[in-house]
Amino acid sequence: MLSIVFHKRRRLVRRLFFNHEQIRTMSRVKRRTTHPPYWHVLKNVQRGDEKISSDNLRFVREVIQDKYKNKSPIKGSDLDIEKTEWDPKTKRSGVIARNIGVQHMWEKDGKKVICTVLHVLDNHVIRYVPPEEYAKSIIGAKVFRNRKPLGCLVVGAEAANPDRFTKQYCSLFNEVGLLPKKRLARFIVTPNAALPPCTPLTAGHFVIGQAVDVYGKTIDYGFQGVVKRWGFKGGPASHGATKFHRRGGTIGTGRDKARVWPGQKMPGHMGSEKRFCRGLKIVRINMKYNVIYVKGTVPGPTNSIVQIFDTLLPRRKFTEAPPHPTYFPPEDGTLPQEDIWDSNLHVFGSPSISV
Amino acid sequence: MLRRAVLQTFRQGLAQSFFKRNAVSLSETTVTHQTVETSDEGGEKFVSTQKTGDESGNTVIVAPPEFRFMYPEFLPDPAMETRNRLKEKLERMDMLQRRSVIEIPEFYTGSVMAVTVSDANSPNKFARFVGICIQRGGSGLRAWFILRNVVEKQGVEILYEMYCPLIQKIEVLRLERRLDESLLYLRDALPEYSTFPLDMEPERRLNNLVVPINPLKVKLRPRPWLERWERQNLQGVEDLNLPQRFYDKAEKVAKPWEKYDLMLHYRKTIPAEEQEKIFAEVQSQLQQQELKRKMRRRRGSDNEQ
């Protein structure tokens, strides 16, 4: 099986001569960190044993309510969005969602389909950074080193009590007048798909039948042995094997280079890495509960947060215009269809399938 | 399943619902219950919603306690890491939608059932299988049950997913329970205990209020067996007649302390309060569906007459 090693700087793909050959190369890039980057503002307040009286607590809550009640997010129809045209090269915003589980559904020919249920949280656009400005930032400079720069949309999800966050973190949301969000994400967008702050993003942002990429942190398996982590075969279970059942075996020859090469597959921490699942098809959208059903599985355990984008796979991109730049409820007040199903999927309320 | 629930409230309901359909009270302390039971001419039972009064005096709709035996797949998987209230609610809505199209009757392990499935490879495009339910499991739309029968001296087991839309009809030919929750030992029993005629007619029950427990003790074939039945505390098998060493080893391997482990049982079951909430949510729709079916059946029998 061809194994491909991804580096942050460059892609390395080498043809293997036999099945069990490993790619051992310089890989000094750290795969995961437990701390955020140094330029992030401190988010959570380190609370000690605060002895606030109940009266004061009530007062604090009233202050928060007063602060945020007048500045309610602007509804979609009131925003003055320039009517931009969609073209196939447009990159739309993504959405922050929670993976709430897996549900089995059936297609019209009786075939079972495993669908992941993604709950689109209360997303609001916090800020739009135009391309020129974003290209000057640290990450932007790296991403657009040899490319034409694109804009960046900062989207937040899951509003929470400002009490639990630091002042610097809440200040990120002050311009917009929103309750501070627990989760923030950046989405690279073309300038024609820019959205003004306070725009809500819902499940209607997506279209039935479209392909999406889901980006999330994989399940944390902890420190794992070589059999589970790399798929090694280990040793025989019986026939006299002495203490060699799930071990790695040899880690190098004595001849070339005469040392263990970097990148040698060994036991270690497995999982808890940010990964993409590309090209997943949307089979059902529930507008009332803001829930998307996606065919297949996504990285991460149940109840973890993921980001959903329009796919970058060239053959599964949009041919027709999607809701651009995002979905807005119709101005005449008609409610959208609550539960939209893919044409291939069997609706549960419809009669049984006769093959 | 709350079989060994230690909660005082549920033990009372449990004992009553095993032997009687109308549970009189869920708890003896503050809540008062009134069960209104009306029976029609056909002797069919109809249990209306129990209305309880809580401390403030407002009526709260509570489903009868036997719902957790009749519809166990509405309860979610107890594993806390994978639970999400919104997803369970959406799944329940889908289950009710499917139940509005097809009747999924009440059945237990030990009931004889017939399932008609749409099959492209069958001569009539429909395949009907009759068998005894030896096991049921899964929660939500993944709920399944296994039917076993012996066809031309060959034991056959088929696993059916209850909410699969290929299923056209599920009939319960004989509704009864056995002494065990899982009848997998029928695989090692004499074939006559698993044989049921494929053209079996549905049997009418004498007493619609009670689901009878068949105290049949099954005879097993001589060893070797598929599992160590002597280690499983089976009630529904005859004396295994094994040498004493088997029972000694079973005692050594047994975990008698598990019946005192409260946390183990707590983690394996959904708490009573949550069960009540879940069934209160779905019970009105389920009862409406049952009513509609009864009307349709009565209209059908009237038309025949």
Side-chain angles (χ1 to χ4, degrees):
Chain A
M1 199 174 72
L2 188 75
S3 68
I4 302 172
V5 174
F6 283 100
H7 297 276
K8 275 196 181 168
R9 300 281 164 87
R10 52 165 211 239
R11 249 179 218 204
L12 190 82
V13 176
R14 205 185 90 184
R15 258 194 73 228
L16 300 181
F17 290 106
F18 36 87
N19 248 351
H20 48 275
E21 188 184 5
Q22 290 182 27
I23 295 180
R24 300 187 198 85
T25 51
M26 304 288 283
S27 175
R28 307 285 189 205
V29 179
K30 215 171 175 197
R31 286 162 73 198
R32 59 178 87 74
T33 57
T34 49
H35 59 84
Y38 67 90
W39 35 265
H40 267 193
V41 293
L42 183 66
K43 185 173 164 189
N44 294 316
V45 162
Q46 302 293 326
R47 283 253 188 106
D49 214 5
E50 278 178 4
K51 292 182 171 63
I52 307 182
S53 67
S54 53
D55 280 341
N56 286 342
L57 257 180
R58 226 177 295 134
F59 175 71
V60 166
R61 255 182 243 134
E62 277 171 23
V63 165
I64 293 170
Q65 275 177 0
D66 282 336
K67 183 175 179 194
Y68 289 101
K69 79 165 180 218
N70 293 325
K71 303 179 189 170
S72 58
I74 314 153
K75 291 218 172 57
S77 52
D78 299 347
L79 291 164
D80 52 342
I81 301 166
E82 303 133 18
K83 292 280 172 190
T84 48
E85 281 293 310
W86 179 84
D87 63 82
K89 289 205 183 271
T90 311
K91 267 189 156 209
R92 291 194 311 161
S93 166
V95 132
I96 304 175
R98 173 175 277 134
N99 166 14
I100 60 176
V102 153
Q103 184 165 301
H104 293 199
M105 301 221 268
W106 285 267
E107 289 183 345
K108 288 216 162 105
D109 56 2
K111 199 173 120 187
K112 188 155 95 169
V113 165
I114 294 178
C115 301
T116 311
V117 191
L118 299 167
H119 176 215
V120 175
L121 306 168
D122 54 333
N123 286 276
H124 282 101
V125 173
I126 308 295
R127 189 166 53 244
Y128 170 66
V129 181
E132 311 79 35
E133 211 186 302
Y134 189 51
K136 291 185 200 148
S137 70
I138 304 165
I139 296 276
K142 270 192 225 169
V143 173
F144 298 117
R145 185 160 298 157
N146 296 320
R147 301 201 276 148
K148 185 174 158 215
L150 297 171
C152 163
L153 262 181
V154 178
V155 173
E158 259 194 299
N161 191 355
D163 262 356
R164 51 185 284 180
F165 300 123
T166 55
K167 196 170 169 181
Q168 302 99 308
Y169 187 77
C170 291
S171 67
L172 297 170
F173 306 89
N174 276 344
E175 278 177 20
V176 201
L178 285 169
L179 274 171
K181 305 279 192 184
K182 274 197 224 170
R183 300 274 172 172
L184 284 174
R186 262 189 278 200
F187 297 109
I188 310 292
V189 292
T190 46
N192 67 338
L195 288 166
C198 255
T199 318
L201 298 168
T202 55
H205 182 75
F206 298 104
V207 172
I208 287 281
Q210 87 168 90
V212 289
D213 294 341
V214 182
Y215 178 69
K217 215 183 208 185
T218 51
I219 297 176
D220 191 357
Y221 290 99
F223 194 101
Q224 284 300 331
V226 116
V227 168
K228 192 178 181 81
R229 196 181 184 214
W230 298 113
F232 282 18
K233 290 201 73 181
S238 66
H239 289 302
T242 334
K243 303 199 289 186
F244 184 71
H245 308 292
R246 295 181 72 85
R247 298 188 69 177
T250 189
I251 54 174
T253 64
R255 279 241 163 185
D256 6 282
K257 301 253 174 164
R259 61 184 171 95
V260 178
W261 291 30
Q264 170 64 41
K265 291 180 181 173
M266 284 184 164
H269 192 272
M270 175 182 170
S272 187
E273 287 167 353
K274 298 271 184 73
R275 287 286 184 270
F276 273 99
C277 257
R278 300 226 186 249
L280 303 174
K281 186 175 166 200
I282 294 182
V283 289
R284 184 177 164 192
I285 298 179
N286 190 321
M287 299 286 272
K288 182 179 170 194
Y289 292 100
N290 257 341
V291 155
I292 301 175
Y293 293 72
V294 138
K295 186 171 164 180
T297 48
V298 307
T302 313
N303 292 322
S304 65
I305 301 290
V306 296
Q307 296 173 18
I308 315 176
F309 321 82
D310 300 332
T311 194
L312 62 69
L313 299 177
R315 286 199 204 169
R316 299 192 207 183
K317 284 194 174 168
F318 284 116
T319 41
E320 293 173 345
H324 175 81
T326 185
Y327 168 80
F328 294 110
E331 277 173 37
D332 49 6
T334 51
L335 293 167
Q337 194 188 348
E338 196 185 295
D339 212 349
I340 316 168
W341 297 69
D342 187 40
S343 55
N344 211 17
L345 216 63
H346 166 84
V347 181
F348 283 113
S350 61
S352 305
I353 299 171
S354 311
V355 171
Chain B
M1 292 294 235
L2 269 170
R3 285 206 76 209
R4 295 197 201 116
V6 189
L7 295 165
Q8 179 65 35
T9 50
F10 251 86
R11 194 178 267 161
Q12 203 165 355
L14 191 95
Q16 278 165 344
S17 49
F18 254 116
F19 302 108
K20 264 195 201 175
R21 283 294 207 86
N22 42 330
V24 172
S25 72
L26 212 54
S27 90
E28 53 202 323
T29 47
T30 48
V31 177
T32 53
H33 291 245
Q34 287 146 26
T35 328
V36 175
E37 213 185 73
T38 57
S39 54
D40 310 310
E41 287 126 27
E44 289 166 353
K45 184 187 82 67
F46 167 51
V47 176
S48 75
T49 63
Q50 288 185 354
K51 294 228 164 89
T52 78
D54 57 6
E55 280 140 10
S56 61
N58 302 324
T59 48
V60 168
I61 296 181
V62 169
E66 57 258 25
F67 264 48
R68 62 190 171 86
F69 300 111
M70 284 165 67
Y71 309 110
E73 73 272 7
F74 278 95
L75 296 176
D77 195 357
M80 273 316 288
E81 297 90 30
T82 49
R83 283 201 61 188
N84 185 286
R85 301 291 187 276
L86 175 64
K87 187 248 177 184
E88 286 157 21
K89 184 174 172 180
L90 294 169
E91 202 167 12
R92 263 178 258 132
M93 279 159 52
D94 284 338
M95 286 159 75
L96 287 169
Q97 284 284 298
R98 176 70 189 151
R99 273 178 181 263
S100 68
V101 174
I102 181 182
E103 188 201 344
I104 300 178
E106 172 196 1
F107 67 96
Y108 302 92
T109 320
S111 313
V112 182
M113 299 161 66
V115 174
T116 318
V117 168
S118 160
D119 187 6
N121 304 320
S122 268
N124 308 343
K125 300 288 175 192
F126 293 111
R128 185 172 188 263
F129 185 71
V130 172
I132 181 172
C133 175
I134 57 171
Q135 208 182 24
R136 78 180 282 186
S139 57
L141 289 166
R142 285 165 295 185
W144 51 265
F145 58 92
I146 305 180
L147 294 187
R148 179 184 167 80
N149 204 341
V150 173
V151 175
E152 290 172 21
K153 296 189 182 174
Q154 173 65 54
V156 174
E157 285 178 16
I158 303 186
L159 187 149
Y160 291 103
E161 290 180 326
M162 271 158 72
Y163 291 89
C164 177
L166 288 169
I167 293 183
Q168 310 295 314
K169 202 171 177 191
I170 304 178
E171 304 157 86
V172 172
L173 306 174
R174 187 191 302 162
L175 177 63
E176 64 178 13
R177 301 173 84 143
R178 291 288 185 97
L179 294 168
D180 298 302
E181 282 302 318
S182 155
L183 300 177
L184 293 175
Y185 54 77
L186 289 177
R187 292 167 180 167
D188 283 327
L190 298 171
E192 67 225 29
Y193 293 102
S194 314
T195 322
F196 299 92
L198 292 170
D199 51 1
M200 190 167 159
E201 293 288 325
E203 294 172 10
R204 280 210 68 134
R205 279 153 55 209
L206 301 161
N207 186 359
N208 261 327
L209 301 173
V210 176
V211 176
I213 299 182
N214 189 346
L216 177 68
K217 297 251 182 194
V218 155
K219 234 186 254 177
L220 296 187
R221 281 194 300 240
R223 273 179 61 244
W225 294 326
L226 289 163
E227 283 182 52
R228 295 189 226 245
W229 303 118
E230 72 276 4
R231 295 190 185 183
Q232 290 186 27
N233 291 329
L234 301 171
Q235 306 297 316
V237 288
E238 266 193 22
D239 190 25
L240 297 168
N241 282 330
L242 291 169
Q244 185 56 34
R245 58 188 166 92
F246 284 90
Y247 300 112
D248 293 339
K249 196 66 197 287
E251 255 185 60
K252 261 199 198 168
V253 159
K255 300 181 191 172
W257 56 84
E258 270 190 352
K259 67 173 182 279
Y260 305 113
D261 193 348
L262 290 179
M263 284 314 294
L264 182 73
H265 294 295
Y266 181 73
R267 268 184 246 115
K268 276 191 191 166
T269 54
I270 307 290
E273 302 83 13
E274 230 187 302
Q275 284 196 19
E276 280 174 38
K277 265 193 226 166
I278 290 170
F279 285 121
E281 200 185 294
V282 301
Q283 68 121 20
S284 58
Q285 282 211 34
L286 283 170
Q287 288 196 329
Q288 265 175 39
Q289 285 169 8
E290 235 197 272
L291 264 174
K292 273 189 204 160
R293 282 201 186 98
K294 286 207 175 99
M295 303 288 278
R296 236 179 281 153
R297 251 179 267 152
R298 210 171 298 146
R299 245 180 276 139
S301 64
D302 285 341
N303 287 341
E304 275 166 46
Q305 285 164 12

